[in-house]
Amino acid sequence: MTAAEAPTLPSGAADRVDALLPYAPQSAAAARRLVRTALRDWELEDLVEAAELVVSELVGNAAKTGCRLEMTITVERITDRCVRISVRDGSRILPCLIDAGPAAESGRGMALVHHLTGGHWGVTPEPYGKTVHADLRTRSTAG
């Protein structure tokens, strides 16, 4: 899938979708479309806004690594109420939370991911890079 293509999922789509995207700023838009399409297909519309913010941050961080090939974006339905968004890139530099301060022009992205996921995010170092994942959960429908 190129950054300009909008993903489509077949009816009864699998619980996982992947896309290879270039290390480019426009890849964030393609990743948001992938997430939006998957979540709507899985009837998890209430997660779309947060998921788009999360994937934008993770893809943006990967795009800044200077890697030259492609990053892998994965959206996976873990349970009926939980999805995992993962971005695999070729850099072994790990993301971290920092206190950017009110005057900083950057550095708040992983804090936003931390907030939106309730702290349910992590990173897996790999021989040739890493995978950063973030889990989002719908609110309980039990009343």
Side-chain angles (χ1 to χ4, degrees):
M1 181 172 87
T2 66
E5 294 174 344
T8 57
L9 300 175
S11 177
D15 290 338
R16 176 184 170 130
V17 293
D18 300 280
L20 293 174
L21 298 175
Y23 290 92
Q26 63 269 28
S27 290
R32 285 190 299 273
R33 286 189 298 275
L34 177 74
V35 165
R36 185 181 324 116
T37 301
L39 293 179
R40 287 181 177 159
D41 189 67
W42 298 331
E43 299 179 0
L44 295 170
E45 291 87 355
D46 58 322
L47 294 179
V48 169
E49 185 176 343
E52 287 179 328
L53 289 169
V54 166
V55 79
S56 291
E57 179 57 31
L58 299 183
V59 167
N61 285 349
K64 294 176 191 174
T65 64
C67 296
R68 300 284 180 230
L69 297 175
E70 294 174 313
M71 65 180 95
T72 303
I73 315 304
T74 302
V75 185
E76 186 173 12
R77 186 169 46 182
I78 304 298
T79 70
D80 288 344
R81 295 181 28 230
C82 180
V83 296
R84 173 167 286 176
I85 299 167
S86 303
V87 176
R88 183 177 186 278
D89 67 45
S91 171
R92 291 194 40 93
I93 298 172
L94 304 180
C96 61
L97 290 174
I98 61 171
D99 183 5
E105 294 183 15
S106 64
R108 294 181 187 85
M110 289 311 294
L112 176 64
V113 170
H114 186 81
H115 173 74
L116 291 170
T117 64
H120 295 275
W121 67 276
V123 61
T124 304
E126 299 174 5
Y128 299 103
K130 67 180 174 300
T131 299
V132 181
H133 69 268
D135 296 349
L136 292 165
R137 290 167 175 77
T138 62
R139 295 189 177 166
S140 175
T141 57

